Amino acid sequence: MESPLLDDLAVDHRQLIGPDGDYRSIRTMSLKELWAVFWIETVKLWEIGGPIAFNIICQYGLYAITVAFCGHLGPTELSAVSVAQTVIGTFSFGFMIGMGSALETLCGQAFGAGQVHMLGVYTQRSMIILLLSTFFLLPIYVFATPILKFLGQDHDIAVVAGKFAIYTIPELYSLSINIPTSKFLQAQSKVGVLAWIGFVALMVHAFLLWLFIYVFNWGLIGAAISFNLVGWANALAQFAYVVFWCKDGWTGWSWSAFNEMWAFVRLSIESAVMLCLETWYMMSIILLTGHLKDAVTAVGSLSICINVDGYEAMFFIGVNAAISVRVSNELGLGRARATKYSVYVTVFQSLLIGILCMIVVLAVRNHLAILFTDDEVLIRAVSELAWFLGVTMVLNSVQPVISGVAVGGGWQGLVAYINLGSYYVFGIPLGYLLGYVANFGVMGLWGGMIGGLALQTLLLSFVLYRIDWNKEVEQTTERMRLWGGQDLETKKTPIPKSPKGVRATIYA
């Protein structure tokens, strides 16, 4: 069904489509038709990205309100839960969602290619892989206390954080269902249900935290019980929707889930490495900052800035997922020009949003830290770092989009190598030189980080510019032939309609 937001366009949608079922070339379009393409891709992007961003914010809220409720138990509990959620929880969630990102590539491309029945098989395959992945992450939870001590955390905080991490082990296993089912729904643009489930889960978690901590006086154990219950309720609600309301995509359990397992694992690992290299980069900068002379002010000011940047990052996670869905769907449909136009529209809009965020940050830089602290020294330090924060926001507005394109196209391995070189070969050494050797302190460290981000964005932009989208379509067709369980070279697959209504028929 066409979106009602597209009904008022002055251009007939069918005029934009060529005989091959793809968009016509830009050179053959009038300005009115170009605007129509821009508006169509904008609506498609935000109809997917908006609910996903809301769902991500709700998931982030589960962590945030857990810290807030536990903070009233005492300063040690506040610091311990914050460290457990940030270091242990974020690390594990980042790795798991990275491993699950392979599903974005395959489900999106299979849905676009009309192989809807394969979505359930791929989802089951991802569940198996993520379940096995949890056992590799389990030692991080079990030995959280010595790990945190090794990283330099206070003894009391490390002990309490280690206990809380052990209490929340059940929530880790819920991710093996939560992440695959969310990717399954995203691939079909069924993102509204994710937003509603995430919102209800957040409300239930807030109620249970109040009940277990303040009424039953269960303390940190109560917070962990609520965290585990809500995590599993969220996962099971998504799984129930997939099984009972997505009959086309989920046709029951299948032994086919064990086919081509190694190829799937390899793509999952590439996705996880790509995402984890980005997450660990920010963590490494904070660890380096902790060894500066005035570590309290340096870490505090940098943490506030990164916290502000985190809100933009959560928003762009939705954009990342949306463009991944758009790219994988259009590649599966065999629509090379539609894929390219969608990417360019998204990059352009994301860059504008990043520039707007930078302008806002610079405009309120003298008051930016008031929400986090009353300390005048920290407020001034954050104000001085605002310029670095603004530049980082601009770079971080483009980078998630290109990463989403990589996930949608299935070239996560290349991005992982670019991240490794840009961040760890160039960015961190440059930050160390500027921060410690040149004595620029936290500004030098962050300057090096920005250098790594800039190099990564530049390289990814070059790769994006050089992509042959027709070849990407061919590779998608081959992947579907090998992993789809049928020979697409001999079987014609008519596609009556794209996920958002643009008609096309392809023969892979």
CSV table of all heavy atoms in Angstrom, one decimal, residues 317-366:
chain,number,residue,atom,x,y,z
A,317,ILE,N,21.1,5.5,14.9
A,317,ILE,CA,21.0,4.0,14.8
A,317,ILE,C,19.7,3.7,14.1
A,317,ILE,O,19.7,2.7,13.3
A,317,ILE,CB,21.0,3.4,16.2
A,317,ILE,CG1,22.4,3.5,16.8
A,317,ILE,CG2,20.5,2.0,16.2
A,317,ILE,CD1,22.5,3.0,18.2
A,318,GLY,N,18.6,4.5,14.3
A,318,GLY,CA,17.4,4.3,13.5
A,318,GLY,C,17.6,4.5,12.0
A,318,GLY,O,17.1,3.8,11.2
A,319,VAL,N,18.4,5.6,11.7
A,319,VAL,CA,18.7,5.9,10.3
A,319,VAL,C,19.5,4.8,9.7
A,319,VAL,O,19.3,4.4,8.6
A,319,VAL,CB,19.4,7.2,10.2
A,319,VAL,CG1,19.7,7.6,8.7
A,319,VAL,CG2,18.5,8.4,10.8
A,320,ASN,N,20.5,4.3,10.5
A,320,ASN,CA,21.4,3.2,10.0
A,320,ASN,C,20.5,2.0,9.7
A,320,ASN,O,20.7,1.4,8.6
A,320,ASN,CB,22.4,2.9,11.2
A,320,ASN,CG,23.2,1.7,10.9
A,320,ASN,OD1,22.7,0.5,10.9
A,320,ASN,ND2,24.5,1.9,10.6
A,321,ALA,N,19.6,1.6,10.6
A,321,ALA,CA,18.8,0.4,10.3
A,321,ALA,C,17.9,0.7,9.1
A,321,ALA,O,17.6,-0.2,8.3
A,321,ALA,CB,18.0,0.1,11.5
A,322,ALA,N,17.3,1.9,9.0
A,322,ALA,CA,16.4,2.2,7.9
A,322,ALA,C,17.1,2.1,6.5
A,322,ALA,O,16.6,1.5,5.6
A,322,ALA,CB,15.8,3.6,8.1
A,323,ILE,N,18.3,2.7,6.4
A,323,ILE,CA,18.9,2.7,5.1
A,323,ILE,C,19.4,1.3,4.8
A,323,ILE,O,19.5,0.8,3.7
A,323,ILE,CB,20.1,3.7,5.1
A,323,ILE,CG1,20.7,3.8,3.7
A,323,ILE,CG2,21.2,3.3,6.0
A,323,ILE,CD1,19.7,4.2,2.6
A,324,SER,N,19.8,0.5,5.9
A,324,SER,CA,20.1,-0.9,5.6
A,324,SER,C,19.0,-1.7,5.0
A,324,SER,O,19.1,-2.5,4.1
A,324,SER,CB,20.6,-1.5,7.0
A,324,SER,OG,20.8,-2.9,6.8
A,325,VAL,N,17.8,-1.5,5.6
A,325,VAL,CA,16.6,-2.1,5.1
A,325,VAL,C,16.3,-1.7,3.6
A,325,VAL,O,16.0,-2.5,2.7
A,325,VAL,CB,15.3,-1.8,6.0
A,325,VAL,CG1,14.1,-2.3,5.3
A,325,VAL,CG2,15.5,-2.5,7.3
A,326,ARG,N,16.4,-0.4,3.4
A,326,ARG,CA,16.1,0.2,2.0
A,326,ARG,C,17.1,-0.4,1.0
A,326,ARG,O,16.7,-0.8,-0.1
A,326,ARG,CB,16.2,1.7,2.0
A,326,ARG,CG,15.1,2.4,2.8
A,326,ARG,CD,13.8,2.3,2.1
A,326,ARG,NE,13.8,3.0,0.8
A,326,ARG,CZ,13.5,2.3,-0.3
A,326,ARG,NH1,13.1,1.1,-0.3
A,326,ARG,NH2,13.6,3.0,-1.5
A,327,VAL,N,18.4,-0.4,1.4
A,327,VAL,CA,19.4,-0.9,0.4
A,327,VAL,C,19.2,-2.4,0.2
A,327,VAL,O,19.2,-2.9,-1.0
A,327,VAL,CB,20.8,-0.7,1.0
A,327,VAL,CG1,21.9,-1.4,0.2
A,327,VAL,CG2,21.1,0.8,0.9
A,328,SER,N,19.0,-3.2,1.2
A,328,SER,CA,18.9,-4.6,1.0
A,328,SER,C,17.6,-5.0,0.3
A,328,SER,O,17.6,-5.9,-0.6
A,328,SER,CB,18.9,-5.4,2.4
A,328,SER,OG,17.9,-4.9,3.2
A,329,ASN,N,16.5,-4.3,0.6
A,329,ASN,CA,15.3,-4.5,-0.2
A,329,ASN,C,15.4,-4.2,-1.7
A,329,ASN,O,15.0,-5.0,-2.5
A,329,ASN,CB,14.1,-3.7,0.4
A,329,ASN,CG,13.6,-4.2,1.7
A,329,ASN,OD1,12.8,-3.6,2.4
A,329,ASN,ND2,14.0,-5.4,2.1
A,330,GLU,N,16.0,-3.0,-2.0
A,330,GLU,CA,16.1,-2.6,-3.4
A,330,GLU,C,17.1,-3.5,-4.1
A,330,GLU,O,16.9,-3.8,-5.3
A,330,GLU,CB,16.5,-1.1,-3.4
A,330,GLU,CG,15.5,-0.2,-2.9
A,330,GLU,CD,14.2,-0.2,-3.7
A,330,GLU,OE1,14.1,-0.8,-4.7
A,330,GLU,OE2,13.2,0.5,-3.2
A,331,LEU,N,18.2,-3.9,-3.5
A,331,LEU,CA,19.1,-4.8,-4.1
A,331,LEU,C,18.4,-6.1,-4.4
A,331,LEU,O,18.7,-6.8,-5.5
A,331,LEU,CB,20.4,-5.0,-3.3
A,331,LEU,CG,21.4,-3.9,-3.2
A,331,LEU,CD1,22.5,-4.2,-2.2
A,331,LEU,CD2,21.9,-3.5,-4.5
A,332,GLY,N,17.6,-6.6,-3.5
A,332,GLY,CA,16.9,-7.8,-3.7
A,332,GLY,C,15.9,-7.7,-4.8
A,332,GLY,O,15.7,-8.7,-5.5
A,333,LEU,N,15.4,-6.5,-5.0
A,333,LEU,CA,14.5,-6.3,-6.1
A,333,LEU,C,15.2,-6.1,-7.4
A,333,LEU,O,14.6,-6.1,-8.5
A,333,LEU,CB,13.6,-5.0,-5.8
A,333,LEU,CG,12.4,-5.1,-5.0
A,333,LEU,CD1,11.9,-3.8,-4.5
A,333,LEU,CD2,11.3,-5.9,-5.7
A,334,GLY,N,16.5,-5.9,-7.4
A,334,GLY,CA,17.3,-5.7,-8.6
A,334,GLY,C,17.2,-4.3,-9.1
A,334,GLY,O,17.5,-4.0,-10.3
A,335,ARG,N,16.9,-3.3,-8.2
A,335,ARG,CA,16.8,-1.9,-8.6
A,335,ARG,C,18.0,-1.1,-8.2
A,335,ARG,O,18.1,-0.6,-7.1
A,335,ARG,CB,15.5,-1.4,-7.9
A,335,ARG,CG,14.2,-1.9,-8.5
A,335,ARG,CD,13.0,-1.8,-7.6
A,335,ARG,NE,12.9,-0.5,-7.0
A,335,ARG,CZ,12.2,0.6,-7.5
A,335,ARG,NH1,11.6,0.4,-8.7
A,335,ARG,NH2,12.1,1.7,-6.9
A,336,ALA,N,19.0,-1.1,-9.1
A,336,ALA,CA,20.3,-0.5,-8.8
A,336,ALA,C,20.1,1.0,-8.6
A,336,ALA,O,20.7,1.6,-7.7
A,336,ALA,CB,21.3,-0.8,-9.9
A,337,ARG,N,19.4,1.7,-9.5
A,337,ARG,CA,19.3,3.2,-9.4
A,337,ARG,C,18.5,3.6,-8.2
A,337,ARG,O,18.8,4.6,-7.5
A,337,ARG,CB,18.7,3.7,-10.7
A,337,ARG,CG,19.6,3.8,-11.9
A,337,ARG,CD,19.0,4.6,-13.0
A,337,ARG,NE,17.9,3.9,-13.6
A,337,ARG,CZ,18.0,3.0,-14.6
A,337,ARG,NH1,19.2,2.7,-15.0
A,337,ARG,NH2,16.9,2.5,-15.1
A,338,ALA,N,17.4,2.8,-7.9
A,338,ALA,CA,16.6,3.1,-6.7
A,338,ALA,C,17.5,3.0,-5.4
A,338,ALA,O,17.4,3.8,-4.5
A,338,ALA,CB,15.5,2.1,-6.6
A,339,THR,N,18.4,2.0,-5.4
A,339,THR,CA,19.3,1.8,-4.3
A,339,THR,C,20.2,3.1,-4.1
A,339,THR,O,20.4,3.6,-3.1
A,339,THR,CB,20.2,0.6,-4.4
A,339,THR,OG1,19.4,-0.6,-4.7
A,339,THR,CG2,21.0,0.3,-3.2
A,340,LYS,N,20.8,3.5,-5.3
A,340,LYS,CA,21.7,4.6,-5.3
A,340,LYS,C,21.0,5.9,-4.9
A,340,LYS,O,21.5,6.6,-4.0
A,340,LYS,CB,22.3,4.8,-6.7
A,340,LYS,CG,23.3,5.9,-6.8
A,340,LYS,CD,24.0,5.9,-8.1
A,340,LYS,CE,23.1,6.0,-9.3
A,340,LYS,NZ,23.8,6.0,-10.6
A,341,TYR,N,19.8,6.1,-5.4
A,341,TYR,CA,19.1,7.4,-5.0
A,341,TYR,C,18.7,7.4,-3.6
A,341,TYR,O,18.8,8.4,-2.9
A,341,TYR,CB,17.8,7.5,-5.9
A,341,TYR,CG,18.1,7.6,-7.4
A,341,TYR,CD1,17.0,7.5,-8.3
A,341,TYR,CD2,19.3,7.8,-7.9
A,341,TYR,CE1,17.2,7.5,-9.6
A,341,TYR,CE2,19.6,7.9,-9.3
A,341,TYR,CZ,18.5,7.8,-10.1
A,341,TYR,OH,18.7,7.8,-11.5
A,342,SER,N,18.3,6.2,-3.0
A,342,SER,CA,18.0,6.2,-1.6
A,342,SER,C,19.2,6.5,-0.7
A,342,SER,O,19.1,7.2,0.3
A,342,SER,CB,17.5,4.8,-1.3
A,342,SER,OG,17.2,4.6,0.1
A,343,VAL,N,20.3,6.0,-1.1
A,343,VAL,CA,21.6,6.2,-0.3
A,343,VAL,C,21.9,7.7,-0.4
A,343,VAL,O,22.2,8.3,0.7
A,343,VAL,CB,22.7,5.4,-0.9
A,343,VAL,CG1,24.1,5.8,-0.3
A,343,VAL,CG2,22.5,3.9,-0.6
A,344,TYR,N,21.9,8.3,-1.6
A,344,TYR,CA,22.3,9.7,-1.7
A,344,TYR,C,21.3,10.6,-0.9
A,344,TYR,O,21.8,11.6,-0.3
A,344,TYR,CB,22.3,10.1,-3.2
A,344,TYR,CG,23.5,9.5,-3.9
A,344,TYR,CD1,23.6,9.6,-5.3
A,344,TYR,CD2,24.5,8.9,-3.2
A,344,TYR,CE1,24.7,9.0,-6.0
A,344,TYR,CE2,25.6,8.3,-3.9
A,344,TYR,CZ,25.7,8.4,-5.3
A,344,TYR,OH,26.7,7.8,-6.0
A,345,VAL,N,20.0,10.4,-1.0
A,345,VAL,CA,19.1,11.2,-0.3
A,345,VAL,C,19.3,11.1,1.2
A,345,VAL,O,19.3,12.1,2.0
A,345,VAL,CB,17.6,10.7,-0.6
A,345,VAL,CG1,16.6,11.3,0.4
A,345,VAL,CG2,17.3,11.1,-2.0
A,346,THR,N,19.6,9.9,1.7
A,346,THR,CA,19.8,9.7,3.2
A,346,THR,C,21.1,10.3,3.6
A,346,THR,O,21.1,11.0,4.7
A,346,THR,CB,19.9,8.2,3.5
A,346,THR,OG1,18.7,7.5,3.0
A,346,THR,CG2,20.0,7.9,5.0
A,347,VAL,N,22.2,10.2,2.9
A,347,VAL,CA,23.4,10.9,3.2
A,347,VAL,C,23.2,12.4,3.3
A,347,VAL,O,23.7,13.1,4.2
A,347,VAL,CB,24.5,10.5,2.2
A,347,VAL,CG1,25.8,11.4,2.4
A,347,VAL,CG2,24.9,9.1,2.4
A,348,PHE,N,22.5,13.0,2.3
A,348,PHE,CA,22.3,14.4,2.3
A,348,PHE,C,21.5,14.9,3.5
A,348,PHE,O,21.9,15.8,4.1
A,348,PHE,CB,21.6,14.8,1.0
A,348,PHE,CG,21.2,16.2,0.9
A,348,PHE,CD1,22.1,17.2,0.6
A,348,PHE,CD2,19.8,16.6,1.0
A,348,PHE,CE1,21.7,18.5,0.6
A,348,PHE,CE2,19.4,17.9,1.0
A,348,PHE,CZ,20.4,18.9,0.7
A,349,GLN,N,20.4,14.2,3.8
A,349,GLN,CA,19.6,14.6,4.9
A,349,GLN,C,20.3,14.4,6.3
A,349,GLN,O,20.2,15.2,7.2
A,349,GLN,CB,18.3,13.8,4.9
A,349,GLN,CG,17.4,14.1,3.7
A,349,GLN,CD,16.0,13.5,3.9
A,349,GLN,OE1,15.6,13.0,4.9
A,349,GLN,NE2,15.3,13.6,2.8
A,350,SER,N,21.1,13.3,6.4
A,350,SER,CA,21.8,13.1,7.6
A,350,SER,C,22.9,14.1,7.8
A,350,SER,O,23.1,14.6,9.0
A,350,SER,CB,22.5,11.7,7.6
A,350,SER,OG,21.5,10.7,7.5
A,351,LEU,N,23.5,14.5,6.8
A,351,LEU,CA,24.6,15.6,6.9
A,351,LEU,C,23.9,16.9,7.3
A,351,LEU,O,24.5,17.6,8.2
A,351,LEU,CB,25.3,15.8,5.5
A,351,LEU,CG,26.4,16.9,5.5
A,351,LEU,CD1,27.5,16.5,6.5
A,351,LEU,CD2,26.9,17.0,4.1
A,352,LEU,N,22.7,17.2,6.8
A,352,LEU,CA,22.0,18.4,7.3
A,352,LEU,C,21.7,18.4,8.8
A,352,LEU,O,21.8,19.3,9.5
A,352,LEU,CB,20.8,18.6,6.4
A,352,LEU,CG,21.0,19.1,5.0
A,352,LEU,CD1,19.6,19.3,4.3
A,352,LEU,CD2,21.8,20.3,4.9
A,353,ILE,N,21.2,17.2,9.2
A,353,ILE,CA,20.9,17.0,10.6
A,353,ILE,C,22.1,17.1,11.5
A,353,ILE,O,22.1,17.8,12.5
A,353,ILE,CB,20.2,15.6,10.8
A,353,ILE,CG1,18.9,15.6,10.1
A,353,ILE,CG2,20.1,15.3,12.3
A,353,ILE,CD1,18.3,14.2,10.1
A,354,GLY,N,23.3,16.6,11.0
A,354,GLY,CA,24.5,16.7,11.8
A,354,GLY,C,25.0,18.2,11.9
A,354,GLY,O,25.4,18.6,13.0
A,355,ILE,N,24.8,18.9,10.8
A,355,ILE,CA,25.2,20.3,10.8
A,355,ILE,C,24.3,21.1,11.8
A,355,ILE,O,24.7,22.0,12.6
A,355,ILE,CB,25.1,20.9,9.4
A,355,ILE,CG1,26.2,20.3,8.6
A,355,ILE,CG2,25.3,22.4,9.5
A,355,ILE,CD1,26.2,20.7,7.1
A,356,LEU,N,23.0,20.8,11.8
A,356,LEU,CA,22.1,21.4,12.7
A,356,LEU,C,22.4,21.1,14.1
A,356,LEU,O,22.4,22.0,15.0
A,356,LEU,CB,20.6,20.9,12.4
A,356,LEU,CG,19.5,21.5,13.3
A,356,LEU,CD1,19.4,23.0,13.2
A,356,LEU,CD2,18.2,20.8,13.0
A,357,CYS,N,22.8,19.9,14.4
A,357,CYS,CA,23.2,19.5,15.8
A,357,CYS,C,24.4,20.3,16.2
A,357,CYS,O,24.5,20.7,17.4
A,357,CYS,CB,23.5,18.0,15.9
A,357,CYS,SG,22.0,17.0,15.8
A,358,MET,N,25.4,20.4,15.3
A,358,MET,CA,26.6,21.2,15.6
A,358,MET,C,26.2,22.7,15.9
A,358,MET,O,26.8,23.2,16.9
A,358,MET,CB,27.6,21.2,14.4
A,358,MET,CG,28.9,21.9,14.7
A,358,MET,SD,30.0,21.9,13.3
A,358,MET,CE,29.1,22.9,12.1
A,359,ILE,N,25.4,23.3,15.2
A,359,ILE,CA,25.0,24.7,15.4
A,359,ILE,C,24.3,24.8,16.8
A,359,ILE,O,24.6,25.7,17.5
A,359,ILE,CB,24.0,25.1,14.3
A,359,ILE,CG1,24.8,25.2,12.9
A,359,ILE,CG2,23.4,26.5,14.6
A,359,ILE,CD1,23.9,25.5,11.7
A,360,VAL,N,23.4,23.9,17.1
A,360,VAL,CA,22.8,23.9,18.4
A,360,VAL,C,23.8,23.8,19.6
A,360,VAL,O,23.7,24.5,20.5
A,360,VAL,CB,21.7,22.8,18.5
A,360,VAL,CG1,21.1,22.7,19.9
A,360,VAL,CG2,20.6,23.1,17.5
A,361,VAL,N,24.7,22.8,19.4
A,361,VAL,CA,25.7,22.6,20.5
A,361,VAL,C,26.6,23.9,20.7
A,361,VAL,O,26.8,24.3,21.8
A,361,VAL,CB,26.6,21.4,20.1
A,361,VAL,CG1,27.9,21.4,21.0
A,361,VAL,CG2,25.8,20.1,20.4
A,362,LEU,N,27.0,24.5,19.6
A,362,LEU,CA,27.8,25.7,19.7
A,362,LEU,C,27.1,26.9,20.2
A,362,LEU,O,27.6,27.7,20.9
A,362,LEU,CB,28.4,26.0,18.3
A,362,LEU,CG,29.4,25.0,17.7
A,362,LEU,CD1,29.9,25.4,16.4
A,362,LEU,CD2,30.6,24.7,18.7
A,363,ALA,N,25.8,26.9,19.9
A,363,ALA,CA,25.0,28.0,20.4
A,363,ALA,C,24.8,28.0,21.9
A,363,ALA,O,24.7,29.0,22.6
A,363,ALA,CB,23.6,28.0,19.7
A,364,VAL,N,24.7,26.8,22.5
A,364,VAL,CA,24.5,26.6,23.9
A,364,VAL,C,25.7,26.1,24.7
A,364,VAL,O,25.6,25.5,25.8
A,364,VAL,CB,23.3,25.7,24.2
A,364,VAL,CG1,22.0,26.2,23.5
A,364,VAL,CG2,23.5,24.3,23.7
A,365,ARG,N,26.9,26.2,24.1
A,365,ARG,CA,28.1,25.6,24.6
A,365,ARG,C,28.4,26.0,26.1
A,365,ARG,O,28.9,25.3,26.9
A,365,ARG,CB,29.3,25.8,23.7
A,365,ARG,CG,29.7,27.3,23.6
A,365,ARG,CD,30.8,27.4,22.6
A,365,ARG,NE,31.3,28.8,22.5
A,365,ARG,CZ,30.8,29.7,21.7
A,365,ARG,NH1,29.7,29.4,20.9
A,365,ARG,NH2,31.2,30.9,21.6
A,366,ASN,N,28.1,27.3,26.4
A,366,ASN,CA,28.4,27.8,27.8
A,366,ASN,C,27.4,27.2,28.8
A,366,ASN,O,27.6,27.4,30.0
A,366,ASN,CB,28.3,29.3,27.8
A,366,ASN,CG,29.4,29.9,27.0
A,366,ASN,OD1,30.5,29.4,26.9
A,366,ASN,ND2,29.1,31.0,26.3
